[in-house]
Amino acid sequence: HDQDAMFVLGPGHGFPALQANLFLEGTLGHFDQSMQPNLAGIRKLCREFSWPYGFPSHSNPETPGVILEGGELGYALSTSYGAAMDNPNLLVACLIGDGEAETGPTAGAWHLNKLFNPRKDGVVLPILHLNGYKISAPTVFGRMSNYELMTLFSGYGYEPRIVDATKEGVDPHDEMAAALEWAHALVAEIRASSDKIAPRMPMIVMRTLKGWTGPKEVEGNKIEGNCLAHQTVLSEAKSDPEQLKILNHWLKSYKFNELFSELTGFGDFVGDILPDTPEKRLGMSKHAHGGDGVYKSLILPNINDFAEDAETPGTIGSSSMRRAGAYLAEVFRQNADNKNFRFMSPDETYSNKLDEIFQATSRSWQWPIMSWDKDLSQDGRVMEMLSEHNMQGLMQGYVLTGRHAMFASYEAFLQVVSSMVDQYAK
Ligand SMILES: Cc1ncc(C[n+]2csc(CCOP(=O)(O)OP(=O)(O)O)c2C)c(N)n1
């Protein structure tokens, strides 16, 4: 479909899979001559994984195409919404782990669809990955029935579809491809329709086994389809001949020698699935790279124009916050055409006396608006929801894709997102 797309990986510890795909699609080789898809490149890819001065263990913004720091789980969905805002041609596919989905920040982020205008913003396609387990126990979502999942996500305002790769007799790859086609067509239909209230955007629930295609059993313990598949499953392979045998059998099961030869490299099967235009490859998204391709500097009014004479305390009947509101309204006016400024507010615009902003814009709201509601519209540029996590995630996604934003908070409430800010700083 020649769709502009970005991929946001929630469980950043799944980085080997992402890194391998960036290697195969040629993105790593594009930025680093020594990462060509040949034997030397494969060796480097494997040896320098999670290694000092090599590649990190988790996906992170140093990786081409990645904007989310992996590690602390929970922020993938709000970051994806932030990246898609004001990018009408962009589709952000966001993979959310079922362990990750148990976090408060992810639980809140599903509701960002209520603020998201599918005609003016891009599209977020959430893919909830139910492999059923986190590190050492089943997940809440993994043990929910299909009925419970469908009704939950319908209630959240999505059009959910389940892809079950654990079901016998279906090709999971065909099922997933069909689900992606369905999602793409549904988005086009919603964008073309005149019905503007509560658009039900698609989301996919994907059931797989955890450790799918890995060893079935080690020392009498179930591995594939169980939490024991998390991270290193054959940690004693170096000294235990039995584990080494299982490791050997496992790796050979991928028939690598049929997929790659030292002489001819990878077969055409890789090229066949890549987009024709190199810029459309996942690691090459201009939005993820930021910089010149997408960045426009913010026009700022002269701050002196907003000053007041406060020489005699308690006399002017104004407040610094009101003046800040007037200033921000002017920032919105001066950047209206560029559509590159947003205000993120966890229900803090009025209470912080910043409401003069609403003379220049309003709060975004896609669900029903009552006649007595104030400052709500489908086109508002203020994102307001009582979730500091959502607001910080939106801001990170928006800023990391080359735009500008401001977040209103203070005192104890800002601590709610202090670890998110740490991750962002990393
Ligand atoms: C906020 C947070 N708490 C705890 C952890 C530690 N941790 C790392 S992976 C993981 C389990 C993740 O499960 P899931 O999201 O289902 O990922 P997957 O099964 O796909 O690996 C946990 C708890 C973390 N990374 N972030």
Side-chain angles (χ1 to χ4, degrees):
H1 298 286
D2 207 30
Q3 171 71 54
D4 257 348
M6 230 174 98
F7 179 59
V8 172
L9 173 68
H13 51 279
F15 187 47
L18 181 61
Q19 178 83 327
N21 278 287
L22 293 174
F23 175 72
L24 278 177
E25 71 167 17
T27 296
L28 297 188
H30 175 85
F31 290 103
D32 179 346
Q33 265 310 310
S34 65
M35 294 299 291
Q36 302 308 318
N38 53 30
L39 196 60
I42 294 170
R43 185 178 294 128
K44 183 165 175 176
L45 180 77
C46 298
R47 289 221 174 128
E48 296 197 6
F49 174 74
S50 193
W51 195 252
Y53 306 105
F55 302 112
S57 60
H58 287 55
S59 62
N60 73 99
E62 288 175 326
T63 309
V66 172
I67 59 166
L68 181 74
E69 174 70 32
E72 196 166 289
L73 296 165
Y75 315 137
L77 191 52
S78 56
T79 303
S80 299
Y81 272 109
M85 250 182 333
D86 292 320
N87 273 330
N89 299 323
L90 181 65
L91 183 146
V92 184
C94 174
L95 191 86
I96 303 152
D98 47 357
E100 178 183 15
E102 293 179 5
T103 63
T106 301
W110 295 110
H111 294 293
L112 286 170
N113 58 353
K114 277 89 186 170
L115 307 190
F116 220 69
N117 185 329
R119 287 164 198 88
K120 306 245 165 100
D121 294 312
V123 174
V124 175
L125 177 63
I127 303 171
L128 176 62
H129 182 201
L130 303 191
N131 60 18
Y133 296 87
K134 39 196 186 264
I135 293 180
S136 66
T139 60
V140 169
F141 289 90
R143 291 284 158 99
M144 285 168 72
S145 68
N146 286 355
Y147 172 76
E148 288 166 335
L149 291 165
M150 291 296 283
T151 48
L152 176 72
F153 288 105
S154 300
Y156 278 178
Y158 291 89
E159 190 70 46
R161 172 164 166 154
I162 294 179
V163 173
D164 190 348
T166 65
K167 219 166 49 186
E168 294 286 320
V170 289
D171 181 333
H173 302 289
D174 288 348
E175 295 261 304
M176 190 63 189
L180 291 172
E181 286 292 344
W182 160 83
H184 199 264
L186 183 57
V187 167
E189 199 182 301
I190 290 168
R191 285 185 150 170
S193 108
S194 54
D195 184 4
K196 289 195 165 48
I197 305 294
R200 287 186 169 272
M201 299 296 271
M203 64 128 354
I204 295 174
V205 178
M206 180 177 76
R207 282 194 198 272
T208 73
L209 296 174
K210 183 148 174 152
W212 190 19
T213 72
K216 306 259 177 285
E217 211 183 278
V218 176
E219 286 154 14
N221 294 314
K222 180 177 167 64
I223 304 293
E224 189 193 50
N226 189 14
C227 56
L228 296 178
H230 197 90
Q231 298 221 336
T232 313
V233 292
L234 293 161
S235 53
E236 306 308 316
K238 204 170 178 182
S239 53
D240 179 337
E242 191 50 35
Q243 286 206 4
L244 182 63
K245 210 168 104 192
I246 301 172
L247 178 64
N248 204 25
H249 181 259
W250 170 22
L251 295 184
K252 282 193 166 163
S253 73
Y254 297 122
K255 300 192 168 69
F256 188 67
N257 52 340
E258 289 177 19
L259 302 173
F260 175 84
S261 100
E262 209 178 333
L263 273 180
T264 53
F266 290 98
D268 291 340
F269 73 96
V270 176
D272 287 351
I273 59 167
L274 292 179
D276 295 333
T277 8
E279 306 84 67
K280 299 269 165 165
R281 294 178 187 170
L282 283 186
M284 298 301 287
S285 161
K286 65 177 180 186
H287 301 288
H289 288 256
D292 291 342
V294 290
Y295 179 81
K296 286 192 199 108
S297 58
L298 192 66
I299 305 162
L300 292 175
N302 183 352
I303 201 152
N304 295 325
D305 296 346
F306 297 84
E308 282 182 319
D309 182 359
E311 230 154 77
T312 320
T315 53
I316 57 173
S318 182
S319 84
S320 54
M321 291 307 284
R322 290 228 173 276
R323 300 312 292 157
Y327 176 80
L328 288 168
E330 193 53 26
V331 176
F332 274 113
R333 282 185 202 104
Q334 294 194 12
N335 294 277
D337 291 343
N338 284 343
K339 292 194 171 44
N340 62 346
F341 181 58
R342 292 272 186 165
F343 188 72
M344 316 302 180
S345 165
D347 197 13
E348 298 288 6
T349 323
Y350 268 95
S351 58
N352 282 288
K353 303 189 183 118
L354 291 166
D355 45 289
E356 202 170 323
I357 288 176
F358 296 134
Q359 292 183 13
T361 183
S362 53
R363 293 173 281 199
S364 184
W365 195 265
Q366 313 304 319
W367 254 241
I369 297 177
M370 302 303 161
S371 59
W372 55 88
D373 287 334
K374 277 205 306 188
D375 309 317
L376 293 184
S377 80
Q378 293 194 318
D379 301 331
R381 301 194 63 75
V382 172
M383 304 304 274
E384 218 179 76
M385 189 180 278
L386 212 176
S387 163
E388 277 75 8
H389 290 116
N390 271 347
M391 294 303 114
Q392 176 68 19
L394 280 182
M395 185 159 94
Q396 290 183 185
Y398 198 65
V399 169
L400 287 171
T401 46
R403 284 79 60 76
H404 312 267
M406 187 161 161
F407 179 120
S409 189
Y410 52 92
E411 290 178 2
F413 312 143
L414 199 52
Q415 299 303 313
V416 171
V417 293
S418 61
S419 65
M420 281 183 87
V421 175
D422 282 354
Q423 292 286 305
Y424 179 79
K426 274 210 273 182

